[in-house]
């Protein structure tokens, strides 16, 4: 078998598992977000600030993916919510079967939100559905405003762009309106929030977006139960 049909077969198997996961998440009204960015853009920092803002009883869990180490799980476990590390051992993205395996032991009926940090990479994670309600792409101002044009697939597929590290704007040559225009050239109408996980600036906008999406998932579940 040559490479293209094999790749297609792997992707369609992934789509099958992801569709089953999505149906389970919808059945329980769980909002699942798939966070994608280059290494170092601030996915874990955004999750740290997010978990920090949640009240103790919040029904949230986190899966965090990396090629090696469980450093991110250790950073995130400090907040007292369930966290598991997915170590891919070389694979440059998470896939639906990894998510399915790592859900074992968690009761989905106990969750309202599942946050998934993908492996740091703007390319491969765009091709793998994890059964999420939405992909969120994080881009930091240290990476250059041209990235949406260079890696259009992920900017097209993500529902939200989190522009992180805006505290660094005085120190780096990054044209924020050009970055926004580039993102919206690839994805017209794309929602964008500008944040600093260091200073906390803009985080309220991100948390409001998340809260709205959480309500949407719960309303969708209630509507499905009624019909
Ligand atoms: N100045 C600044 N640094 C940040 C911000 N967010 C994250 N960082 C730093 O960027 C580095 C990478 O962040 P991390 O969350 O590990 O990125 P990840 O690889 O996408 O998970 C760390 O040293 C963070 O402290 C921010 O908003 N401003
Ligand atoms: Mg990380």
């Amino acid at each position: 078998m040559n490479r293209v049909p094999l790749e297609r077969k792997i992707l369609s198997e992934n789509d099958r598992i992801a569709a089953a996961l999505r149906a389970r998440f919808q059945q329980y009204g769980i909002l699942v977000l798939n966070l994608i960015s280059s290494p170092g853009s601030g996915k874990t920092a955004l999750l740290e600030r997010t978990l920090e803002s949640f009240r103790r009883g919040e029904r949230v869990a986190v899966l965090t993916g990396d090629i090696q180490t469980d450093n991110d799980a250790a950073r995130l476990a400090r907040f007292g919510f369930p966290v598991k590390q997915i170590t891919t051992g070389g694979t440059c993205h998470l896939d639906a079967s990894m998510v399915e395996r790592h859900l074992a032991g968690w009761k989905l009926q106990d969750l309202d939100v599942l946050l998934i940090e993908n492996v740091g990479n703007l390319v491969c994670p765009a091709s793998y559905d994890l059964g999420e309600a939405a992909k969120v792409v994080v881009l930091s101002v240290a990476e250059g405003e041209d990235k949406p044009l260079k890696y259009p697939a992920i900017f097209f597929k993500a529902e939200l762009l989190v522009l992180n590290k805006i505290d660094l704007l005085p120190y780096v040559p990054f044209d924020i309106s050009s970055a926004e225009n580039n993102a919206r050239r690839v994805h017209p109408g794309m929602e964008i929030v500008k944040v600093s996980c260091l200073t906390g600036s803009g985080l309220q906008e991100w948390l409001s977006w998340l809260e709205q999406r959480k309500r949407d998932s719960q309303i969708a579940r209630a509507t499905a139960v009624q019909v």
Side-chain angles (χ1 to χ4, degrees), residues 9-93:
K9 191 164 169 231
I10 291 169
L11 280 172
S12 69
E13 174 65 0
N14 186 76
D15 285 347
R16 189 187 62 72
I17 301 169
L21 280 176
R22 181 168 289 109
R24 279 171 69 199
F25 296 144
Q26 286 173 349
Q27 180 192 347
Y28 290 104
I30 305 172
L31 169 65
V32 182
L33 298 179
N34 178 1
L35 270 67
I36 296 170
S37 80
S38 304
S41 308
K43 297 178 295 303
T44 312
L46 185 67
L47 290 174
E48 287 177 306
R49 299 307 295 252
T50 305
L51 296 181
E52 183 182 75
S53 77
F54 285 160
R55 61 187 169 80
R56 269 181 90 80
E58 188 80 31
R59 293 162 25 108
V60 60
V62 182
L63 292 175
T64 181
D66 259 313
I67 290 181
Q68 292 292 347
T69 85
D70 59 1
N71 295 357
D72 286 358
R75 280 169 65 184
L76 295 167
R78 295 182 295 130
F79 300 93
F81 300 104
V83 176
K84 278 191 207 168
Q85 181 79 45
I86 306 180
T87 309
T88 66
T91 308
C92 56
H93 56 83

Side-chain angles (χ1 to χ4, degrees), residues 25-32 55 58-60 108-114 133 210-226:
F25 296 144
Q26 286 173 349
Q27 180 192 347
Y28 290 104
I30 305 172
L31 169 65
V32 182
R55 61 187 169 80
E58 188 80 31
R59 293 162 25 108
V60 60
L108 293 188
Q109 60 268 35
D110 291 345
L111 292 182
D112 292 326
V113 180
L114 174 66
L210 195 152
E211 202 49 44
Q212 181 59 52
R213 292 302 305 242
K214 189 172 124 185
R215 278 197 295 273
D216 291 347
S217 298
Q218 287 166 356
I219 291 167
R221 178 193 177 214
T223 314
V225 168
Q226 277 167 18

Side-chain angles (χ1 to χ4, degrees), residues 183-201:
R184 290 188 174 130
R185 264 174 72 187
V186 171
H187 182 159
M190 184 175 206
E191 286 187 84
I192 301 175
V193 294
K194 292 167 252 178
V195 307
S196 166
C197 292
L198 184 69
T199 67
S201 171

Side-chain angles (χ1 to χ4, degrees), residues 63-223:
L63 292 175
T64 181
D66 259 313
I67 290 181
Q68 292 292 347
T69 85
D70 59 1
N71 295 357
D72 286 358
R75 280 169 65 184
L76 295 167
R78 295 182 295 130
F79 300 93
F81 300 104
V83 176
K84 278 191 207 168
Q85 181 79 45
I86 306 180
T87 309
T88 66
T91 308
C92 56
H93 56 83
L94 297 182
D95 66 33
S97 70
M98 296 175 194
V99 170
E100 187 183 43
R101 275 200 307 280
H102 286 79
L103 287 175
W106 283 349
K107 288 192 187 129
L108 293 188
Q109 60 268 35
D110 291 345
L111 292 182
D112 292 326
V113 180
L114 174 66
L115 300 168
I116 305 176
E117 175 179 351
N118 217 311
V119 177
N121 179 347
L122 283 175
V123 185
C124 324
S127 302
Y128 285 81
D129 184 5
L130 305 181
E132 72 274 346
K135 291 180 173 59
V136 172
V137 63
V138 182
L139 176 69
S140 79
V141 305
E143 292 168 66
E145 58 277 313
D146 57 347
K147 294 303 168 293
L149 303 179
K150 287 188 172 175
Y151 303 96
I154 186 54
F155 287 86
F156 177 69
K157 289 185 180 176
E159 287 191 29
L160 179 73
L161 165 59
V162 177
L163 260 177
N164 188 30
K165 308 197 188 182
I166 58 168
D167 57 287
L168 296 181
L169 281 173
Y171 314 106
V172 290
F174 183 90
D175 182 344
I176 203 150
S177 56
S178 157
E180 291 179 277
N181 287 340
N182 289 341
R184 290 188 174 130
R185 264 174 72 187
V186 171
H187 182 159
M190 184 175 206
E191 286 187 84
I192 301 175
V193 294
K194 292 167 252 178
V195 307
S196 166
C197 292
L198 184 69
T199 67
S201 171
L203 283 171
Q204 197 47 54
E205 221 185 316
W206 149 251
L207 292 170
S208 303
W209 183 90
L210 195 152
E211 202 49 44
Q212 181 59 52
R213 292 302 305 242
K214 189 172 124 185
R215 278 197 295 273
D216 291 347
S217 298
Q218 287 166 356
I219 291 167
R221 178 193 177 214
T223 314

